[in-house]
Amino acid sequence: MQRAFWAVYGKTLRELEQDWLGYLKGRTFTAQEIFDYAQRARFYGRYDEHLALLRQAVAVAGRVVPEYHLALGQAQAQLGLWDSAATTFRQLLELAPANPTYQWSRAEALWAAGDTLGAVSAYEWSRYLDADDPRPFLRLGDWQYRQRRIDSAAALWRHGLKLAKGPRTTIEFMLRLGRYERGRRRGADTARALFAQAWRQAEEMIDTSPGNPEPWMMAGEAMLGLDSVGAALERFQAAAYYAQDPFDAGRIACDIGFCYDRMGRRMEAVQQYESVLASLATDADKHTARYYVNNVFR
C-alpha cells in the first residue's frame, strides 16, 4: 500500500497525512458555509450547536446579513434568550425599518422578555406596517386583557379574527374569544361554539402535522374550554412531548397545571406552575404561573 501511495503522489502515507492536517489547520470557512452547517445542526436537533454556528457565521460575515440575523434571532428565541433575540431583530430593523417581519419578531422577543411597553409599541408599528396582519391584534388584545380592559381586548380579538386566514392564528383568536364569552352572563353558548370550532380545526392540524406541538396544545385548550379535562390533558402531554423551545413549553406546563387543578390534584398543579417559574419560559407564561401558584384554576 505504501508503494501505491508513493507511485501516485510521490509521498508516503504519513507525509500525505501531515499535508492533510496542515490543510485543515489553515482552512478557513466562509460565512455561508458556516451558516449551512448551522442549518444542518438544527435539522438534527442540536440547538446549542446551531446557535453557536450562527454566531460564527454572523461574525465571519462582519455585517448584517438578513438571512443570518433572522435565523440567529429565531435560534436565540428558541433557547429562551429573549433579550439577545430582541437585540438581533433590532439590528435587522436598523437595516430595513419598514420590514413587518422584523418588527413582529422584535415585538415577540420583547413580549417574551417582559418588556411589555416596548412590545406594545413594536406591535403597534407592526400593525402600521402591515394592516392586514392579524397577529398584532392578538397580542394587543392580550395586553388589554392583562390590564383588565376585557371588552377592549375582545374588540381587538374580533377584529383580528376577521383578518385571520391561516388555521393557527384563527384558532388562537377563537380560544381567547371563547374564554371571554365564557365569563359573560349569557355567553356560555357562544363560548362552547367557539371552543368546538377551535377544537375541530386544531384536530385537523394534528392530522396533517402530528409532530408539531402547537395543534396539540390548542386542541387541549379547546377541550378544556369544553370541560373535557381528561382528553385535554392527553393532548397537553402529547404537546409537551413534541415541544422543543421555551415559547411553547411554558404555556403547555401551565395548561397541564390547569387540568390538574380541575381534577383536584392541587399539588401536581403547583409543581407544573413552579416548573414554569424555574424555566426560560416567556414573561407572560411566568405571570400566569405565578398567579396560579396561589390560586386554583377553575
Side-chain angles (χ1 to χ4, degrees):
M1 183 178 290
Q2 291 284 354
R3 289 183 178 180
F5 277 104
W6 180 267
V8 176
Y9 299 104
K11 293 183 179 182
T12 66
L13 184 58
R14 180 172 180 77
E15 288 172 333
L16 287 170
E17 181 182 31
Q18 291 302 314
D19 287 348
W20 175 244
L21 291 174
Y23 166 77
L24 290 178
K25 187 175 181 180
R27 170 77 156 86
T28 58
F29 293 88
T30 67
Q32 185 62 47
E33 286 175 320
I34 298 170
F35 180 77
D36 291 340
Y37 278 114
Q39 298 305 91
R40 186 169 65 176
R42 182 179 184 275
F43 177 80
Y44 286 109
R46 301 195 297 265
Y47 299 111
D48 289 330
E49 180 184 347
H50 174 233
L51 176 58
L53 287 168
L54 286 173
R55 285 172 171 160
Q56 288 182 40
V58 167
V60 170
R63 59 187 176 86
V64 176
V65 179
E67 184 181 15
Y68 301 170
H69 268 67
L70 185 60
L72 175 60
Q74 291 168 343
Q76 289 165 330
Q78 185 174 41
L79 293 175
L81 305 174
W82 311 117
D83 290 328
S84 297
T87 299
T88 300
F89 293 132
R90 178 178 55 77
Q91 292 170 342
L92 279 170
L93 280 169
E94 291 172 356
L95 184 70
N99 188 304
T101 298
Y102 302 162
Q103 190 64 256
W104 166 258
S105 298
R106 178 171 177 266
E108 285 285 87
L110 291 170
W111 178 264
D115 183 358
T116 49
L117 294 179
V120 168
S121 176
Y123 288 129
E124 291 287 5
W125 268 108
S126 181
R127 181 170 67 167
Y128 171 77
L129 292 170
D130 186 356
D132 294 327
D133 187 351
R135 296 174 301 173
F137 294 94
L138 191 74
R139 291 288 186 233
L140 291 170
D142 289 349
W143 172 242
Q144 293 289 337
Y145 194 87
R146 186 185 290 191
Q147 300 304 303
R148 299 182 184 279
R149 295 192 282 266
I150 311 300
D151 292 337
S152 296
L156 286 163
W157 292 333
R158 288 193 189 102
H159 184 79
L161 181 58
K162 292 177 183 178
L163 296 174
K165 297 178 178 64
R168 180 186 181 279
T169 308
T170 299
I171 294 168
E172 291 282 22
F173 280 116
M174 288 191 294
L175 289 172
R176 283 162 172 77
L177 287 168
R179 295 176 197 125
Y180 166 77
E181 293 292 347
R182 191 172 189 173
R184 301 180 68 198
R185 284 186 58 189
R186 299 180 180 178
D189 290 343
T190 303
R192 289 192 67 83
L194 285 163
F195 286 133
Q197 190 174 355
W199 170 72
R200 285 192 294 270
Q201 291 197 26
E203 292 289 335
E204 289 175 2
M205 287 182 67
I206 290 172
D207 289 340
T208 58
S209 185
N212 183 349
E214 290 182 345
W216 289 100
M217 174 180 65
M218 293 188 294
E221 290 180 358
M223 299 194 81
L224 190 60
L226 293 168
D227 297 321
S228 298
V229 182
L233 180 58
E234 290 177 359
R235 281 155 180 77
F236 293 143
Q237 289 169 336
Y241 175 79
Y242 291 118
Q244 296 178 334
D245 61 74
F247 208 97
D248 291 327
R251 178 173 167 182
I252 294 165
C254 285
D255 285 333
I256 292 174
F258 297 159
C259 288
Y260 286 151
D261 261 339
R262 293 280 291 274
M263 292 174 169
R265 296 158 63 176
R266 180 60 182 163
M267 185 176 296
E268 292 169 275
V270 170
Q271 288 174 347
Q272 289 293 320
Y273 304 140
E274 289 179 340
S275 74
V276 176
L277 297 176
S279 72
L280 295 171
T282 68
D283 176 76
D285 290 330
K286 288 189 175 184
H287 181 271
T288 299
R290 196 173 295 112
Y291 178 82
Y292 285 107
V293 163
N294 299 305
N295 297 273
V296 177
F297 180 84
R298 304 294 184 185

